[in-house]
Amino acid sequence: MAAASEPKTGPRNTITDVAGLHVGSAEDRRLKSGVTVLTADSPFTASVAVMGGAPGTRETDLLAPDKTAPGVDALVLSGGSAFGLAAAQGVMDALAEAGRGFAVLSARVPIVPAAILFDLLNGGEKGWGKNPYPSLGRAALGAAGADVSLGSVGAGAGAQTAQVKGGLGSASLVLDSGVTVGALVAVNPMGCVTTPSGRHFHAAPFEIGAEFGGLGPDPARGLQMAPPSKKLAAMASLGNTTIGVVATDAALSKAQCHRMAIAAHDGLGRAIMPAHSPLDGDLIFGASTGAQALSDPAGELAAIGHAGAICMARAIARAIWEASPEPGDLLPTFRETLG
């Protein structure tokens, strides 16, 4: 039997290792909030899987396999709760100005699904007069490129977990077939990303190299109950949600993108405990650029979904590892807790 190959990330270890994808972020440090946009050189296939009990979304009905829209122009992850859904309008307006969009006779309509997380009680200044999220969405699209900033940026700028600051994370894998899979995630859950000791990540078994510190698994054995939530004490029980994207260059249909997104939720469940609660709006978009045809779609889709789950777990831990401290924070960063 041939030995299993060593896991291999793409050159950036981010979702933009999927060729043709671009990510941009914009944030307002005063607000402690921001927006992250994933777009591509041309429209791409996308679907979505929602497993949290409190989602906030825009245009996600179009992503069902039976709906007409063949592709999307961008996907938006935003802070701001329902106010943040307006970020998609800024992205849509900028795309329209660039001549992008779904053609309807002489008209073009950019398709920009969006999802939001709740960061309204994180210590930032929220007393705005004019909704800031359309401008943040436009700025995030304008910043889109191959390099992906991680940590306290974009949609993760004001994110928090049960014990420490959240953030924006990303990771990738290159399969033996040559297919690339990547994940992008804004981590703001009710649950814990770290084990009860506070010194290890739940996602540690999936780490490649030292991409989130190389701290290894928690040596404690058996079931350990989580400590009281510092986030609950500092904010509110409803201030939650983890939203993200899993993407590949494999040629997938909308139905297959949906299945990949479902599988990626396994990674969310491995990295965050508890996940998918009634108080989280946990959502993952699935996206395909369609660059690589599959010779065995059923068998290869299983491997792609598994890779998506691994990337998602790693991306979640990387978001917390890369978070940075800022004035007015209600919770420390993970690195600050290590002393």
Side-chain angles (χ1 to χ4, degrees), residues 126-153:
K126 311 301 183 183
W128 60 72
K130 179 181 179 181
N131 189 321
Y133 289 97
S135 294
L136 286 168
R138 179 183 284 269
L141 180 68
D147 294 330
V148 182
S149 297
L150 304 182
S152 302
V153 298

Side-chain angles (χ1 to χ4, degrees), residues 38-52:
L38 181 134
T39 189
D41 298 328
S42 58
F44 54 97
T45 304
S47 190
V48 68
V50 183
M51 292 194 177

Side-chain angles (χ1 to χ4, degrees), residues 48-69:
V48 68
V50 183
M51 292 194 177
T57 61
R58 169 172 164 157
E59 294 273 53
T60 50
D61 283 354
L62 283 173
L63 303 182
D66 64 325
K67 297 304 185 287
T68 301

Side-chain angles (χ1 to χ4, degrees), residues 49-253:
V50 183
M51 292 194 177
T57 61
R58 169 172 164 157
E59 294 273 53
T60 50
D61 283 354
L62 283 173
L63 303 182
D66 64 325
K67 297 304 185 287
T68 301
V72 304
D73 295 287
L75 297 170
V76 174
L77 309 178
S78 180
S81 189
F83 298 103
L85 291 174
Q89 189 62 53
V91 175
M92 184 178 179
D93 290 346
L95 288 168
E97 291 166 11
R100 293 282 299 271
F102 181 61
V104 184
L105 298 178
S106 61
R108 285 195 171 272
V109 182
I111 307 299
V112 185
I116 49 88
L117 55 80
F118 186 103
D119 59 3
L120 298 181
L121 300 173
N122 62 0
E125 174 55 55
K126 311 301 183 183
W128 60 72
K130 179 181 179 181
N131 189 321
Y133 289 97
S135 294
L136 286 168
R138 179 183 284 269
L141 180 68
D147 294 330
V148 182
S149 297
L150 304 182
S152 302
V153 298
Q160 314 228 34
T161 76
Q163 303 298 332
V164 295
K165 283 189 72 171
L168 186 75
S170 194
S172 69
L173 273 177
V174 180
L175 307 185
D176 290 343
S177 65
V179 165
T180 299
V181 180
L184 175 73
V185 62
V187 186
N188 184 61
M190 181 189 80
C192 296
V193 176
T194 54
T195 64
S197 73
R199 303 187 67 84
H200 299 271
F201 290 105
H202 288 302
F206 310 102
E207 186 174 18
I208 298 177
E211 62 188 344
F212 42 90
L215 303 174
D218 196 317
R221 303 182 67 178
L223 177 64
Q224 305 167 67
M225 300 307 293
S229 170
K230 294 178 182 177
K231 179 178 181 179
L232 177 58
M235 293 176 58
S237 62
L238 296 177
N240 308 298
T241 293
T242 296
I243 49 177
V245 184
V246 60
T248 182
D249 53 6
L252 303 184
S253 65

